[in-house]
C-alpha cells in the first residue's frame, strides 16, 4: 500500500511539472508571438486606410509614414522582449514531453491548471545590497536567506524544479525621441547596430512553442505617488523607530514587478514581495539582473491602440525603463521575492505570526475567495501587526464563466471590513483616495478608482 502511495505521489509530481512546463511554454510563446500579433494590427490599419475614397486619403497624407513608424516601434519592443527571453533561465526542463498533462486520473487538476497561462510553483529569491541573487527551496526560507542583488549581467543557476528567477520591477520615465531602430524578423532579432542574432537557448526552439491566441499577447510616477506614497508614509509612521539590527518584516502579496516591495525595503524593512504571474516574473527578473543604468531600455507601450489618442506623437512616444537602478537603490538586507500563489505559499504553519506588517495594493480583489485572503493575512501577522490596504473591489473572477467549480466571492466594502473584524482586526484609519491604474496619462479616456485605503491592526490576545 505504501509503495502504491509513493508511486502515486511521484506520478502526480511528474504531472504537475508537466503542467508547469506547458504553462511556461504558453507564456514564452505569447511573448515570442508579439511581433506577429503587432504586425497583424498594422496590416489591419493599412487595409482600412486603403479602402478610403481618394478624397479621404488625401486628408491623411502622413498615414503611410505612421505605419512605417509603428513598425519601427514594434521592432524595438520585439528587441527588448527577445533580449529578455534570452536572459531568462527556465526553472524546468523545457524540452520534456508534456502529454502527461492529459492524465485522465487527474482530469480535474488538468482542467484547473493546464490551461492557465499564469500557473507557477512556489519559489523564493532573497536579496541584499551587493553581488548577486540566490535561491532557496521553500517559501518560508525567503525572509531568512542572506544573499545579494547582482551587479553584472549573469544569472544564478536555478537548481530546483520549483525555483525560478529573481523578480523585480521599476517605474518608467518618458523621453521625447529615440533614433535607435532594431529590426525584428521571426525569431531572429537585430541589435541597435543591425547585427542579427539568434537565441542560444534550446527551449526557444520553434518546435517547443505553443500556438496561443493573439489576445494572450496583450497582456508612472504619478500613479506610484497616488498609490504607493500613502502606503509608504503610513508604514513609516507605524514603525517610527526601526532598528537596523532587527528591522520589521513586511510582506507585499501581489507584488507585480516588485517596485512597491523595493520601496518598502529602502525604507528600512525586511521586505518580501509575492507574485504569481510568470509574465511579471520573467520581465522583472530581466530588469533586475541585466540593468546597468537607469533608462537602459526603450519600449513603446502605447502603439497598440488608435483609440482616444490626442495625436500620433502621443501614441508613438517612447518610454525608458527602469527609472531606478536596482543595485543602487539602497535596499535593506533581507529583501526577497517569492513566486507562487498567495494562498498556497502563505497558508502554511511556518508562516503563522511571522510578519510585522502586510501591505496589499490592488490585491485583495484578485481572490477567488476574499474571505480566505483575509483569514491568511490575519494568521501570518504578529499580534499587534498592521495590515495596510489600498485598492478597489473589482473582483477579477467576477465575470468568468464556464467550469462548474469556478468560484468568485464578491463582498461589498462593508462586508470586507466585517470579515476583517471577525478575524481579529480593528480599524485604525480609513479614507478613500481617487487614483488611476496602469493608465496612459495622455489618453482621452481615463479610468479612475475611488480606492479604499485603510490601516487595520491585529488585536493582541488578552491573557488572564
Amino acid at each position: 500500500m505504501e509503495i502504491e502511495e509513493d508511486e502515486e505521489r511521484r506520478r502526480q509530481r511528474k504531472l504537475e511539472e508537466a503542467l508547469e512546463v506547458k504553462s511556461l511554454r504558453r507564456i514564452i510563446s505569447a511573448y515570442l508571438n508579439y511581433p506577429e500579433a503587432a504586425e497583424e494590427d498594422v496590416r489591419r490599419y493599412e487595409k482600412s486606410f486603403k479602402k478610403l475614397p481618394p478624397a479621404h486619403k488625401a486628408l491623411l497624407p502622413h498615414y503611410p509614414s505612421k505605419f512605417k513608424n509603428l513598425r519601427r516601434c514594434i521592432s524595438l519592443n520585439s528587441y527588448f522582449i527577445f533580449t529578455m527571453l534570452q536572459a531568462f533561465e527556465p526553472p524546468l526542463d523545457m524540452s520534456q514531453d508534456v502529454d502527461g498533462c492529459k492524465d485522465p486520473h487527474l482530469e480535474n487538476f488538468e482542467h484547473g491548471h493546464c490551461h492557465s497561462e499564469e500557473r507557477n510553483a512556489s519559489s523564493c529569491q532573497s536579496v541584499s545590497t551587493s553581488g548577486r541573487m540566490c535561491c532557496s527551496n521553500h517559501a518560508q526560507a525567503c525572509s531568512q536567506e542572506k544573499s545579494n542583488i547582482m551587479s553584472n549581467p549573469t544569472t544564478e543557476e536555478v537548481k530546483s524544479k520549483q525555483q525560478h528567477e529573481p523578480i523585480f520591477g521599476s517605474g518608467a520615465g518618458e523621453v521625447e525621441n529615440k533614433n535607435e531602430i532594431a529590426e525584428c524578423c521571426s525569431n531572429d532579432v537585430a541589435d541597435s547596430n543591425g547585427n542579427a542574432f539568434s537565441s542560444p537557448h534550446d527551449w526557444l526552439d520553434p518546435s517547443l512553442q505553443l500556438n496561443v491566441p493573439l489576445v494572450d499577447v496583450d497582456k508612472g510616477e504619478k500613479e506610484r505617488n497616488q498609490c504607493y506614497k500613502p502606503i509608504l508614509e503610513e508604514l513609516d509612521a507605524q514603525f517610527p523607530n526601526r532598528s537596523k539590527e532587527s528591522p520589521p518584516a513586511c510582506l507585499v502579496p501581489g507584488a507585480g514587478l516588485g517596485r512597491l516591495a523595493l520601496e518598502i525595503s529602502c525604507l528600512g524593512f525586511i521586505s518580501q514581495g509575492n507574485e504569481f504571474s510568470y509574465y511579471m516574473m520573467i520581465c522583472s527578473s530581466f530588469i533586475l539582473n541585466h540593468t546597468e543604468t537607469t533608462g537602459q531600455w526603450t519600449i513603446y507601450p502605447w502603439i497598440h491602440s488608435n483609440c482616444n489618442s490626442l495625436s500620433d506623437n502621443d501614441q508613438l512616444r517612447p518610454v525608458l525603463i527602469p527609472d531606478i537602478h536596482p543595485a543602487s537603490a539602497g535596499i535593506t538586507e533581507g529583501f526577497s521575492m517569492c513566486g507562487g500563489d498567495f494562498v498556497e505559499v502563505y497558508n502554511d504553519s511556518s508562516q503563522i505570526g511571522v510578519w510585522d506588517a502586510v501591505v496589499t495594493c490592488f490585491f485583495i480583489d484578485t481572490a477567488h475567495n476574499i474571505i480566505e485572503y483575509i483569514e491568511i493575512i490575519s494568521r501570518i501577522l504578529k499580534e499587534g501587526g498592521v495590515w495596510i490596504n489600498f485598492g478597489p473591489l473589482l473582483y477579477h473572477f467576477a465575470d468568468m464563466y464556464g467550469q462548474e467549480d469556478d468560484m468568485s466571492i464578491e463582498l461589498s466594502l462593508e462586508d470586507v471590513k466585517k470579515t476583517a473584524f471577525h478575524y481579529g482586526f480593528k480599524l485604525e484609519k480609513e479614507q478613500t483616495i481617487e487614483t488611476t491604474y496602469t493608465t496612459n496619462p495622455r489618453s482621452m479616456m481615463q479610468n479612475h478608482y475611488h480606492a479604499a485605503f485603510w490601516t487595520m491592526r491585529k488585536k493582541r490576545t488578552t491573557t488572564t
Side-chain angles (χ1 to χ4, degrees), residues 148-326:
N148 304 312
I149 266 190
M150 67 159 288
S151 57
N152 62 63
T154 60
T155 306
E156 186 74 9
E157 181 180 2
V158 179
K159 299 179 179 179
S160 166
K161 78 178 184 66
Q162 288 191 322
Q163 296 167 345
H164 37 74
E165 291 296 297
I167 59 179
F168 178 84
S170 66
E174 295 182 15
V175 295
E176 294 303 317
N177 57 68
K178 179 70 176 180
N179 295 323
E180 177 184 3
I181 299 171
E183 297 300 333
C184 173
C185 179
S186 184
N187 287 340
D188 294 329
V189 179
D191 63 16
S192 58
N193 297 316
N195 300 314
F197 59 88
S198 299
S199 169
H201 293 305
D202 291 338
W203 53 269
L204 286 176
D205 188 286
S207 65
L208 298 178
Q209 295 175 28
L210 302 176
N211 291 323
V212 297
L214 296 184
V215 68
D216 280 11
V217 181
D218 286 331
K219 292 271 182 191
E221 183 178 9
K222 180 179 179 182
E223 285 186 353
R224 286 203 307 273
N225 285 337
Q226 290 173 336
C227 301
Y228 294 175
K229 187 176 180 181
I231 291 171
L232 296 171
E233 290 177 346
E234 182 64 13
L235 264 179
D236 188 44
Q238 289 289 336
F239 298 88
N241 301 312
R242 297 184 291 280
S243 167
K244 291 184 179 180
E245 290 72 27
S246 182
C250 179
L251 176 66
V252 187
L257 294 178
R259 181 59 179 264
L260 179 57
L262 175 87
E263 297 281 358
I264 291 172
S265 176
C266 293
L267 271 183
F269 289 79
I270 296 175
S271 174
Q272 181 176 120
N274 164 239
E275 178 53 46
F276 178 66
S277 169
Y278 265 130
Y279 284 112
M280 295 284 189
M281 290 186 289
I282 292 174
C283 182
S284 54
S285 169
F286 176 68
I287 294 295
L288 175 59
N289 289 293
H290 297 269
T291 296
E292 298 176 351
T293 183
T294 59
Q296 183 174 352
W297 306 98
T298 302
I299 60 173
Y300 295 81
W302 318 118
I303 63 173
H304 303 294
S305 174
N306 290 323
C307 299
N308 294 302
S309 292
L310 293 173
S311 70
D312 289 347
N313 287 337
D314 283 342
Q315 183 183 7
L316 295 168
R317 73 189 189 277
V319 173
L320 298 186
I321 58 172
D323 72 346
I324 187 173
H325 183 217

Side-chain angles (χ1 to χ4, degrees), residues 63-113:
Y63 260 46
S65 177
K66 177 182 177 179
F67 299 144
K68 182 178 179 181
N69 287 330
L70 283 172
R71 288 190 168 96
R72 290 175 176 175
C73 294
I74 291 168
S75 292
L76 276 170
N77 286 350
S78 301
Y79 175 59
F80 172 79
I81 289 170
F82 206 78
T83 306
M84 174 182 73
L85 292 178
Q86 282 191 309
F88 178 61
E89 297 290 342
L92 303 163
D93 178 8
M94 298 297 289
S95 64
Q96 64 181 282
D97 184 9
V98 294
D99 287 341
C101 190
K102 298 180 181 179
D103 189 325
H105 298 289
L106 291 171
E107 184 176 0
N108 61 334
F109 185 89
E110 189 269 340
H111 284 311
H113 296 285

Side-chain angles (χ1 to χ4, degrees), residues 336-391:
S336 60
M337 300 295 291
C338 258
D341 177 74
F342 171 70
V343 172
E344 293 181 8
V345 174
Y346 296 95
N347 194 18
D348 187 276
S349 59
S350 65
Q351 292 290 319
I352 296 174
V354 168
W355 302 97
D356 296 288
V358 173
V359 167
T360 52
C361 183
F362 279 80
F363 172 71
I364 61 173
D365 58 354
T366 67
H368 285 281
N369 178 4
I370 190 172
I371 299 173
E372 185 176 37
Y373 271 20
I374 296 170
E375 181 182 13
I376 293 173
I377 291 170
S378 175
R379 185 183 301 134
I380 65 178
L381 274 171
K382 296 176 181 178
E383 291 188 1
V386 296
W387 173 23
I388 299 173
N389 176 74
F390 187 104

Side-chain angles (χ1 to χ4, degrees), residues 23-67:
S23 173
L24 186 50
R25 279 192 199 171
R26 180 183 178 91
I27 289 166
I28 291 170
S29 297
Y31 273 127
L32 291 173
N33 285 355
Y34 167 78
E36 177 187 348
E39 172 62 24
E40 183 170 306
D41 282 342
V42 178
R43 287 196 296 264
R44 178 169 56 85
Y45 305 156
E46 288 178 323
K47 185 177 179 180
S48 296
F49 177 71
K50 289 176 181 178
K51 290 181 179 180
L52 287 174
H56 294 176
K57 282 185 183 178
L59 298 174
L60 304 169
H62 60 288
Y63 260 46
S65 177
K66 177 182 177 179
F67 299 144

Side-chain angles (χ1 to χ4, degrees), residues 391-442:
L393 294 174
L394 184 61
Y395 292 113
H396 292 205
F397 299 101
D399 297 325
M400 293 193 68
Y401 305 97
Q403 300 167 15
E404 292 183 2
D405 59 350
D406 279 350
M407 180 180 186
S408 179
I409 304 300
E410 300 139 20
L411 303 185
S412 67
L413 179 59
E414 181 181 10
D415 284 338
V416 168
K417 289 187 287 187
K418 287 180 180 178
T419 301
F421 300 155
H422 171 80
Y423 284 105
F425 285 104
K426 62 178 180 180
L427 185 65
E428 293 193 343
K429 295 181 181 179
E430 181 183 21
Q431 67 181 105
T432 300
I433 297 178
E434 185 174 350
T435 182
T436 58
Y437 188 73
T438 62
T439 297
N440 179 353
R442 300 188 195 177

